[in-house]
Amino acid sequence: EAQLVQSGAGVKKPGATVRMSCKVSGKNFSDHYIHWVRQAPGKGLEWMGLVDPADGEAIHAEGFQGSVTISAEKSTDTVYMEMSSLRFEDTAVYYCATGGVSGGVVHPFDVWGQGTMLSVSS
Amino acid sequence: DIQLTQSPSSLSASVGDRVTITCRASLGISNDLAWYQQTSGKAPKLLIYAASTLHSGVPSRFSGSGSGTDFTLTISSLQPEDVATYYCQKYDSALALTFGGGTKVEIK
């Protein structure tokens, strides 16, 4: 059974950088896009971007370009999401998620990580 | 960018009621539309994809319909365990996957 296990985040100060990880198991790592989704407290879901682990190519959503870097490490079947210049508004739960075999096509997200909470506080 | 607008933003219904949630896209998105259920404090769960295909293990009281710009999620007989927030999502383009704003469903 496919599983995404997340780690990282915690409490960070404004202006800091945070890196979160998402370890993939039960799926062929290179076959599935891995996405990141953010959810601020009491708010809805916001897609941040994706990475294709096959070649490391990432697409970042318009609102996150320049502040977020999504990457993949084949040797450990792990995807990373790094956010820089943190602001109070980045306080949120961050999820990684994946869907069917990519093959150049985006699929809905049938497997989600457990989520990891980031609090930005001075 | 294509926007997804869900309505209503919240609703309260009785157990056994038929519940309908609408998701309207600002431009046509074919049928690359999914619905998710998120219960408090948990990660979302996929309910429906391709606008009307029930994901494995999802109760048959959930159904989806629509195409183009107008989509609907229906719960045929609301159960207590259906209390959750429901989101639609378009996934037709890797450049911009978008979620609707969510609909919170409560029991009256």
Side-chain angles (χ1 to χ4, degrees), chain A residues 2-39:
Chain A
Q3 196 173 10
L4 304 179
V5 177
Q6 299 181 231
S7 60
V11 181
K12 297 291 182 182
K13 293 189 182 301
T17 296
V18 67
R19 190 173 81 154
M20 305 177 198
S21 65
C22 174
K23 184 166 177 61
V24 180
S25 62
K27 279 180 179 275
N28 187 332
F29 184 67
S30 294
D31 286 350
H32 304 266
Y33 295 147
I34 303 296
H35 303 257
W36 287 89
V37 176
R38 176 166 88 172
Q39 186 169 38

mmCIF file of all heavy atoms in Angstrom, chain A residues 2-39:
data_model
loop_
_atom_site.group_PDB
_atom_site.id
_atom_site.type_symbol
_atom_site.label_atom_id
_atom_site.label_comp_id
_atom_site.label_asym_id
_atom_site.label_seq_id
_atom_site.Cartn_x
_atom_site.Cartn_y
_atom_site.Cartn_z
ATOM 1 N N ALA A 2 0.562 2.173 -0.877
ATOM 2 C CA ALA A 2 1.352 3.397 -0.974
ATOM 3 C C ALA A 2 1.210 4.240 0.277
ATOM 4 O O ALA A 2 0.144 4.307 0.885
ATOM 5 C CB ALA A 2 0.893 4.194 -2.186
ATOM 6 N N GLN A 3 2.305 4.849 0.653
ATOM 7 C CA GLN A 3 2.288 5.680 1.849
ATOM 8 C C GLN A 3 3.231 6.859 1.680
ATOM 9 O O GLN A 3 4.299 6.733 1.082
ATOM 10 C CB GLN A 3 2.726 4.841 3.061
ATOM 11 C CG GLN A 3 2.392 5.444 4.396
ATOM 12 C CD GLN A 3 2.690 4.502 5.560
ATOM 13 O OE1 GLN A 3 3.314 3.458 5.374
ATOM 14 N NE2 GLN A 3 2.253 4.858 6.740
ATOM 15 N N LEU A 4 2.814 8.011 2.187
ATOM 16 C CA LEU A 4 3.651 9.198 2.213
ATOM 17 C C LEU A 4 3.818 9.594 3.669
ATOM 18 O O LEU A 4 2.822 9.828 4.371
ATOM 19 C CB LEU A 4 2.998 10.346 1.433
ATOM 20 C CG LEU A 4 2.632 10.084 -0.036
ATOM 21 C CD1 LEU A 4 1.988 11.318 -0.647
ATOM 22 C CD2 LEU A 4 3.850 9.676 -0.839
ATOM 23 N N VAL A 5 5.058 9.649 4.132
ATOM 24 C CA VAL A 5 5.316 10.004 5.528
ATOM 25 C C VAL A 5 6.096 11.300 5.558
ATOM 26 O O VAL A 5 7.199 11.388 5.002
ATOM 27 C CB VAL A 5 6.084 8.886 6.255
ATOM 28 C CG1 VAL A 5 6.407 9.316 7.678
ATOM 29 C CG2 VAL A 5 5.266 7.595 6.250
ATOM 30 N N GLN A 6 5.537 12.287 6.228
ATOM 31 C CA GLN A 6 6.114 13.609 6.246
ATOM 32 C C GLN A 6 6.892 13.877 7.528
ATOM 33 O O GLN A 6 6.618 13.300 8.581
ATOM 34 C CB GLN A 6 5.011 14.671 6.117
ATOM 35 C CG GLN A 6 4.231 14.579 4.823
ATOM 36 C CD GLN A 6 3.174 15.659 4.720
ATOM 37 O OE1 GLN A 6 2.008 15.373 4.448
ATOM 38 N NE2 GLN A 6 3.573 16.904 4.904
ATOM 39 N N SER A 7 7.865 14.772 7.415
ATOM 40 C CA SER A 7 8.604 15.225 8.582
ATOM 41 C C SER A 7 9.111 16.634 8.320
ATOM 42 O O SER A 7 9.113 17.123 7.186
ATOM 43 C CB SER A 7 9.745 14.280 8.920
ATOM 44 O OG SER A 7 10.643 14.200 7.843
ATOM 45 N N GLY A 8 9.550 17.257 9.387
ATOM 46 C CA GLY A 8 10.073 18.617 9.266
ATOM 47 C C GLY A 8 9.090 19.635 9.809
ATOM 48 O O GLY A 8 8.122 19.292 10.473
ATOM 49 N N ALA A 9 9.278 20.884 9.481
ATOM 50 C CA ALA A 9 8.464 22.039 9.897
ATOM 51 C C ALA A 9 8.679 22.339 11.378
ATOM 52 O O ALA A 9 9.791 22.303 11.856
ATOM 53 C CB ALA A 9 7.007 21.850 9.544
ATOM 54 N N GLY A 10 7.623 22.608 12.137
ATOM 55 C CA GLY A 10 7.769 23.033 13.522
ATOM 56 C C GLY A 10 7.578 24.528 13.638
ATOM 57 O O GLY A 10 6.748 25.118 12.947
ATOM 58 N N VAL A 11 8.361 25.173 14.497
ATOM 59 C CA VAL A 11 8.252 26.610 14.718
ATOM 60 C C VAL A 11 9.474 27.307 14.135
ATOM 61 O O VAL A 11 10.615 26.919 14.420
ATOM 62 C CB VAL A 11 8.140 26.946 16.222
ATOM 63 C CG1 VAL A 11 7.996 28.457 16.416
ATOM 64 C CG2 VAL A 11 6.966 26.213 16.844
ATOM 65 N N LYS A 12 9.227 28.319 13.326
ATOM 66 C CA LYS A 12 10.294 29.076 12.692
ATOM 67 C C LYS A 12 10.029 30.571 12.870
ATOM 68 O O LYS A 12 8.880 30.998 13.050
ATOM 69 C CB LYS A 12 10.362 28.751 11.194
ATOM 70 C CG LYS A 12 10.688 27.311 10.880
ATOM 71 C CD LYS A 12 12.107 26.947 11.241
ATOM 72 C CE LYS A 12 12.430 25.521 10.864
ATOM 73 N NZ LYS A 12 13.812 25.146 11.261
ATOM 74 N N LYS A 13 11.095 31.335 12.784
ATOM 75 C CA LYS A 13 10.962 32.787 12.899
ATOM 76 C C LYS A 13 10.734 33.411 11.529
ATOM 77 O O LYS A 13 11.161 32.856 10.495
ATOM 78 C CB LYS A 13 12.217 33.375 13.539
ATOM 79 C CG LYS A 13 12.406 32.972 15.005
ATOM 80 C CD LYS A 13 13.526 33.754 15.630
ATOM 81 C CE LYS A 13 13.752 33.341 17.070
ATOM 82 N NZ LYS A 13 12.526 33.554 17.893
ATOM 83 N N PRO A 14 10.099 34.562 11.488
ATOM 84 C CA PRO A 14 9.936 35.271 10.204
ATOM 85 C C PRO A 14 11.288 35.494 9.544
ATOM 86 O O PRO A 14 12.281 35.811 10.212
ATOM 87 C CB PRO A 14 9.298 36.598 10.631
ATOM 88 C CG PRO A 14 8.602 36.300 11.906
ATOM 89 C CD PRO A 14 9.441 35.271 12.604
ATOM 90 N N GLY A 15 11.317 35.291 8.246
ATOM 91 C CA GLY A 15 12.552 35.464 7.494
ATOM 92 C C GLY A 15 13.379 34.203 7.377
ATOM 93 O O GLY A 15 14.301 34.142 6.557
ATOM 94 N N ALA A 16 13.062 33.209 8.169
ATOM 95 C CA ALA A 16 13.826 31.957 8.150
ATOM 96 C C ALA A 16 13.443 31.112 6.940
ATOM 97 O O ALA A 16 12.530 31.433 6.176
ATOM 98 C CB ALA A 16 13.576 31.176 9.446
ATOM 99 N N THR A 17 14.184 30.005 6.812
ATOM 100 C CA THR A 17 13.924 29.013 5.769
ATOM 101 C C THR A 17 13.570 27.692 6.439
ATOM 102 O O THR A 17 14.130 27.345 7.480
ATOM 103 C CB THR A 17 15.165 28.843 4.879
ATOM 104 O OG1 THR A 17 15.418 30.063 4.196
ATOM 105 C CG2 THR A 17 14.952 27.720 3.865
ATOM 106 N N VAL A 18 12.640 26.975 5.848
ATOM 107 C CA VAL A 18 12.240 25.677 6.375
ATOM 108 C C VAL A 18 12.263 24.655 5.241
ATOM 109 O O VAL A 18 11.983 24.993 4.087
ATOM 110 C CB VAL A 18 10.838 25.724 7.011
ATOM 111 C CG1 VAL A 18 9.742 25.988 5.966
ATOM 112 C CG2 VAL A 18 10.530 24.452 7.781
ATOM 113 N N ARG A 19 12.646 23.438 5.586
ATOM 114 C CA ARG A 19 12.577 22.353 4.615
ATOM 115 C C ARG A 19 11.785 21.204 5.215
ATOM 116 O O ARG A 19 12.068 20.753 6.331
ATOM 117 C CB ARG A 19 13.977 21.868 4.224
ATOM 118 C CG ARG A 19 13.941 20.905 3.030
ATOM 119 C CD ARG A 19 15.312 20.543 2.524
ATOM 120 N NE ARG A 19 15.945 19.494 3.314
ATOM 121 C CZ ARG A 19 16.868 18.677 2.840
ATOM 122 N NH1 ARG A 19 17.271 18.778 1.582
ATOM 123 N NH2 ARG A 19 17.424 17.766 3.631
ATOM 124 N N MET A 20 10.808 20.767 4.452
ATOM 125 C CA MET A 20 9.992 19.632 4.875
ATOM 126 C C MET A 20 10.236 18.473 3.926
ATOM 127 O O MET A 20 10.563 18.683 2.755
ATOM 128 C CB MET A 20 8.502 19.999 4.816
ATOM 129 C CG MET A 20 8.136 21.213 5.594
ATOM 130 S SD MET A 20 6.398 21.615 5.405
ATOM 131 C CE MET A 20 6.422 23.311 5.960
ATOM 132 N N SER A 21 10.042 17.273 4.445
ATOM 133 C CA SER A 21 10.270 16.104 3.610
ATOM 134 C C SER A 21 9.040 15.219 3.540
ATOM 135 O O SER A 21 8.164 15.264 4.406
ATOM 136 C CB SER A 21 11.463 15.304 4.131
ATOM 137 O OG SER A 21 11.163 14.774 5.409
ATOM 138 N N CYS A 22 9.004 14.418 2.504
ATOM 139 C CA CYS A 22 7.890 13.524 2.240
ATOM 140 C C CYS A 22 8.486 12.238 1.677
ATOM 141 O O CYS A 22 8.944 12.220 0.524
ATOM 142 C CB CYS A 22 6.940 14.175 1.243
ATOM 143 S SG CYS A 22 5.565 13.149 0.665
ATOM 144 N N LYS A 23 8.517 11.194 2.492
ATOM 145 C CA LYS A 23 9.121 9.928 2.051
ATOM 146 C C LYS A 23 8.056 9.035 1.438
ATOM 147 O O LYS A 23 7.001 8.786 2.058
ATOM 148 C CB LYS A 23 9.818 9.224 3.214
ATOM 149 C CG LYS A 23 10.539 7.939 2.762
ATOM 150 C CD LYS A 23 11.478 7.438 3.796
ATOM 151 C CE LYS A 23 12.124 6.124 3.358
ATOM 152 N NZ LYS A 23 12.921 6.294 2.112
ATOM 153 N N VAL A 24 8.347 8.533 0.277
ATOM 154 C CA VAL A 24 7.401 7.723 -0.489
ATOM 155 C C VAL A 24 7.726 6.247 -0.335
ATOM 156 O O VAL A 24 8.875 5.840 -0.462
ATOM 157 C CB VAL A 24 7.453 8.115 -1.980
ATOM 158 C CG1 VAL A 24 6.462 7.278 -2.788
ATOM 159 C CG2 VAL A 24 7.177 9.601 -2.157
ATOM 160 N N SER A 25 6.721 5.456 -0.048
ATOM 161 C CA SER A 25 6.898 4.005 -0.010
ATOM 162 C C SER A 25 5.688 3.337 -0.655
ATOM 163 O O SER A 25 4.609 3.927 -0.732
ATOM 164 C CB SER A 25 7.074 3.506 1.431
ATOM 165 O OG SER A 25 5.914 3.788 2.196
ATOM 166 N N GLY A 26 5.888 2.117 -1.132
ATOM 167 C CA GLY A 26 4.780 1.369 -1.724
ATOM 168 C C GLY A 26 4.447 1.762 -3.144
ATOM 169 O O GLY A 26 3.480 1.262 -3.717
ATOM 170 N N LYS A 27 5.194 2.681 -3.715
ATOM 171 C CA LYS A 27 5.006 3.081 -5.105
ATOM 172 C C LYS A 27 6.390 3.166 -5.751
ATOM 173 O O LYS A 27 7.385 3.431 -5.075
ATOM 174 C CB LYS A 27 4.356 4.468 -5.202
ATOM 175 C CG LYS A 27 2.842 4.518 -5.028
ATOM 176 C CD LYS A 27 2.352 5.952 -5.146
ATOM 177 C CE LYS A 27 0.856 6.081 -5.019
ATOM 178 N NZ LYS A 27 0.147 5.866 -6.273
ATOM 179 N N ASN A 28 6.434 2.986 -7.059
ATOM 180 C CA ASN A 28 7.677 3.240 -7.765
ATOM 181 C C ASN A 28 7.909 4.751 -7.767
ATOM 182 O O ASN A 28 7.142 5.503 -8.370
ATOM 183 C CB ASN A 28 7.578 2.719 -9.202
ATOM 184 C CG ASN A 28 8.909 2.814 -9.929
ATOM 185 O OD1 ASN A 28 9.733 3.674 -9.634
ATOM 186 N ND2 ASN A 28 9.122 1.933 -10.888
ATOM 187 N N PHE A 29 8.948 5.171 -7.083
ATOM 188 C CA PHE A 29 9.163 6.604 -6.814
ATOM 189 C C PHE A 29 9.124 7.451 -8.086
ATOM 190 O O PHE A 29 8.566 8.552 -8.091
ATOM 191 C CB PHE A 29 10.505 6.770 -6.100
ATOM 192 C CG PHE A 29 10.813 8.178 -5.676
ATOM 193 C CD1 PHE A 29 10.064 8.804 -4.692
ATOM 194 C CD2 PHE A 29 11.886 8.877 -6.235
ATOM 195 C CE1 PHE A 29 10.348 10.104 -4.284
ATOM 196 C CE2 PHE A 29 12.185 10.170 -5.835
ATOM 197 C CZ PHE A 29 11.413 10.782 -4.853
ATOM 198 N N SER A 30 9.697 6.924 -9.155
ATOM 199 C CA SER A 30 9.829 7.735 -10.367
ATOM 200 C C SER A 30 8.543 7.840 -11.181
ATOM 201 O O SER A 30 8.482 8.606 -12.142
ATOM 202 C CB SER A 30 10.949 7.168 -11.255
ATOM 203 O OG SER A 30 12.188 7.300 -10.615
ATOM 204 N N ASP A 31 7.547 7.068 -10.829
ATOM 205 C CA ASP A 31 6.349 6.978 -11.678
ATOM 206 C C ASP A 31 5.230 7.953 -11.315
ATOM 207 O O ASP A 31 4.231 8.020 -12.030
ATOM 208 C CB ASP A 31 5.763 5.558 -11.623
ATOM 209 C CG ASP A 31 6.585 4.566 -12.407
ATOM 210 O OD1 ASP A 31 7.492 5.012 -13.148
ATOM 211 O OD2 ASP A 31 6.323 3.356 -12.280
ATOM 212 N N HIS A 32 5.372 8.669 -10.204
ATOM 213 C CA HIS A 32 4.240 9.450 -9.716
ATOM 214 C C HIS A 32 4.661 10.864 -9.365
ATOM 215 O O HIS A 32 5.592 11.070 -8.586
ATOM 216 C CB HIS A 32 3.640 8.789 -8.474
ATOM 217 C CG HIS A 32 3.236 7.365 -8.684
ATOM 218 N ND1 HIS A 32 1.947 7.013 -9.040
ATOM 219 C CD2 HIS A 32 3.948 6.223 -8.602
ATOM 220 C CE1 HIS A 32 1.890 5.698 -9.177
ATOM 221 N NE2 HIS A 32 3.087 5.194 -8.918
ATOM 222 N N TYR A 33 3.946 11.856 -9.893
ATOM 223 C CA TYR A 33 4.158 13.223 -9.452
ATOM 224 C C TYR A 33 3.849 13.319 -7.961
ATOM 225 O O TYR A 33 2.913 12.698 -7.460
ATOM 226 C CB TYR A 33 3.224 14.187 -10.177
ATOM 227 C CG TYR A 33 3.436 14.308 -11.669
ATOM 228 C CD1 TYR A 33 2.353 14.553 -12.520
ATOM 229 C CD2 TYR A 33 4.691 14.193 -12.249
ATOM 230 C CE1 TYR A 33 2.516 14.680 -13.879
ATOM 231 C CE2 TYR A 33 4.865 14.310 -13.613
ATOM 232 C CZ TYR A 33 3.775 14.555 -14.425
ATOM 233 O OH TYR A 33 3.934 14.680 -15.776
ATOM 234 N N ILE A 34 4.640 14.097 -7.262
ATOM 235 C CA ILE A 34 4.365 14.384 -5.866
ATOM 236 C C ILE A 34 4.028 15.866 -5.754
ATOM 237 O O ILE A 34 4.775 16.722 -6.254
ATOM 238 C CB ILE A 34 5.564 14.063 -4.956
ATOM 239 C CG1 ILE A 34 5.987 12.597 -5.113
ATOM 240 C CG2 ILE A 34 5.194 14.357 -3.487
ATOM 241 C CD1 ILE A 34 4.956 11.577 -4.676
ATOM 242 N N HIS A 35 2.920 16.133 -5.106
ATOM 243 C CA HIS A 35 2.417 17.499 -4.975
ATOM 244 C C HIS A 35 2.535 17.976 -3.531
ATOM 245 O O HIS A 35 2.560 17.172 -2.595
ATOM 246 C CB HIS A 35 0.931 17.561 -5.362
ATOM 247 C CG HIS A 35 0.627 17.064 -6.730
ATOM 248 N ND1 HIS A 35 0.378 17.909 -7.799
ATOM 249 C CD2 HIS A 35 0.525 15.802 -7.222
ATOM 250 C CE1 HIS A 35 0.129 17.189 -8.875
ATOM 251 N NE2 HIS A 35 0.216 15.908 -8.563
ATOM 252 N N TRP A 36 2.542 19.287 -3.365
ATOM 253 C CA TRP A 36 2.443 19.894 -2.037
ATOM 254 C C TRP A 36 1.207 20.791 -1.997
ATOM 255 O O TRP A 36 0.933 21.543 -2.947
ATOM 256 C CB TRP A 36 3.699 20.696 -1.703
ATOM 257 C CG TRP A 36 4.869 19.821 -1.391
ATOM 258 C CD1 TRP A 36 5.789 19.330 -2.287
ATOM 259 C CD2 TRP A 36 5.248 19.308 -0.115
ATOM 260 N NE1 TRP A 36 6.701 18.546 -1.633
ATOM 261 C CE2 TRP A 36 6.406 18.518 -0.306
ATOM 262 C CE3 TRP A 36 4.734 19.440 1.187
ATOM 263 C CZ2 TRP A 36 7.039 17.859 0.752
ATOM 264 C CZ3 TRP A 36 5.374 18.796 2.226
ATOM 265 C CH2 TRP A 36 6.511 18.016 2.016
ATOM 266 N N VAL A 37 0.497 20.685 -0.877
ATOM 267 C CA VAL A 37 -0.743 21.432 -0.674
ATOM 268 C C VAL A 37 -0.673 22.089 0.699
ATOM 269 O O VAL A 37 -0.270 21.453 1.670
ATOM 270 C CB VAL A 37 -1.968 20.489 -0.746
ATOM 271 C CG1 VAL A 37 -3.258 21.252 -0.424
ATOM 272 C CG2 VAL A 37 -2.061 19.828 -2.115
ATOM 273 N N ARG A 38 -1.092 23.330 0.764
ATOM 274 C CA ARG A 38 -1.046 24.067 2.023
ATOM 275 C C ARG A 38 -2.461 24.348 2.525
ATOM 276 O O ARG A 38 -3.382 24.584 1.725
ATOM 277 C CB ARG A 38 -0.308 25.391 1.806
ATOM 278 C CG ARG A 38 -0.275 26.299 2.996
ATOM 279 C CD ARG A 38 0.744 27.393 2.822
ATOM 280 N NE ARG A 38 0.223 28.578 2.147
ATOM 281 C CZ ARG A 38 0.915 29.702 2.035
ATOM 282 N NH1 ARG A 38 2.145 29.761 2.500
ATOM 283 N NH2 ARG A 38 0.380 30.741 1.432
ATOM 284 N N GLN A 39 -2.597 24.355 3.848
ATOM 285 C CA GLN A 39 -3.882 24.700 4.450
ATOM 286 C C GLN A 39 -3.646 25.565 5.679
ATOM 287 O O GLN A 39 -3.231 25.067 6.724
ATOM 288 C CB GLN A 39 -4.680 23.449 4.812
ATOM 289 C CG GLN A 39 -6.082 23.757 5.299
ATOM 290 C CD GLN A 39 -6.942 22.520 5.405
ATOM 291 O OE1 GLN A 39 -6.485 21.446 5.794
ATOM 292 N NE2 GLN A 39 -8.232 22.653 5.056
#
